[in-house]
Amino acid sequence: MATSRAVAYLESRKNIAGSACGLAGLVLTFTGVAGPYWPVVVVGLYGAGALIAPPEPAPPDFPDPSAQLYELRGDFERLRGYLRDVELSVTAATRLRELSQLLTGLLDKGWAAELLAHDPEGVHVLSRIVRRDLPEAVDSFVRTRWWTRMSPGSDSPELHLERQLGLLKKDAEKLAAGLREVEARRQESHTRYLEDRGGTGGGSIA
């Protein structure tokens, strides 16, 4: 870590500016301007250059997955309030209920949240479902159904919504399966650890 910090400082703007000013001090030394106090001049110019150098650009401070999950829970609650007022077919309502239960489990403040806190891609999948895909599916259904009642068409809006909800459920199930696999690997690793420890441990207690 100390080496990486040293390398980072060598590449920093402060060091580059300080080195340039220090080099100017050496030039003054060789031309006889600095006199016997040339070390002080060189060090002083280096320090002045480092002080006037512009600060290093800081990376943007994006929220971590835990903070994103907190905001996502609030968005999901607002979405559920909207969905409760939408009239759906029996099949669509069943699929929406199953999807909502799965999303609730993934967003719950429990083991899933602990795993998702280290899985930005998983949080992105949930965010995409809650904030874009699911609202768009239901809203487009509501709008299309309104026009279909005025001018009936060949495609049923209900069938499209049912298919979309089924696809979204598959996305959520895939995410849940991935998190389950993480826990399964953790359990397997602990089993191997205990087996290895038992094979190399001391004798039994008399």
Side-chain angles (χ1 to χ4, degrees):
M1 181 176 294
T3 303
S4 61
R5 289 180 179 176
V7 172
Y9 180 76
L10 289 175
E11 298 175 347
S12 68
R13 295 180 178 180
K14 288 184 177 295
N15 182 56
I16 293 174
S19 298
C21 291
L23 183 59
L26 289 176
V27 172
L28 293 176
T29 299
F30 292 138
T31 58
V33 176
Y37 302 103
W38 67 268
V40 178
V41 173
V42 173
V43 173
L45 288 174
Y46 177 89
L51 288 174
I52 65 174
E56 296 293 327
D61 186 18
F62 295 119
D64 60 25
S66 297
Q68 295 179 46
L69 278 176
Y70 178 81
E71 296 177 357
L72 193 54
R73 290 189 193 102
D75 292 342
F76 182 55
E77 285 303 314
R78 289 191 292 272
L79 176 61
R80 292 178 68 179
Y82 160 71
L83 296 175
R84 280 193 290 267
D85 295 332
V86 178
E87 179 185 350
L88 301 174
S89 65
V90 175
T91 302
T94 300
R95 293 190 177 180
L96 178 60
R97 182 172 60 253
E98 294 172 348
L99 174 60
S100 297
Q101 290 173 347
L102 188 52
L103 293 175
T104 299
L106 289 169
L107 288 169
D108 189 27
K109 299 178 182 178
W111 296 328
E114 292 178 5
L115 293 176
L116 286 170
H118 304 283
D119 184 7
E121 182 59 31
V123 175
H124 173 71
V125 171
L126 277 177
S127 177
R128 185 180 61 203
I129 294 175
V130 171
R131 291 171 172 162
R132 189 186 69 186
D133 293 342
L134 182 53
E136 174 64 20
V138 177
D139 184 62
S140 61
F141 159 74
V142 172
R143 292 170 180 266
T144 306
R145 182 179 59 181
W146 185 84
W147 285 106
T148 300
R149 288 173 177 175
M150 294 183 61
S151 177
S154 57
D155 294 335
S156 169
E158 285 79 7
L159 291 179
H160 277 291
L161 177 61
E162 292 165 10
R163 289 170 57 190
Q164 292 168 4
L165 292 174
L167 293 171
L168 291 177
K169 183 184 176 185
K170 287 182 179 179
D171 288 342
E173 287 175 337
K174 183 178 179 180
L175 175 58
L179 297 178
R180 182 187 63 217
E181 183 63 25
V182 171
E183 291 287 35
R185 288 197 298 268
R186 176 189 173 196
Q187 185 184 36
E188 292 170 0
S189 297
H190 191 58
T191 299
R192 288 194 296 270
Y193 160 73
L194 293 176
E195 290 174 344
D196 294 342
R197 189 181 68 180
T200 59
S204 58
I205 300 176

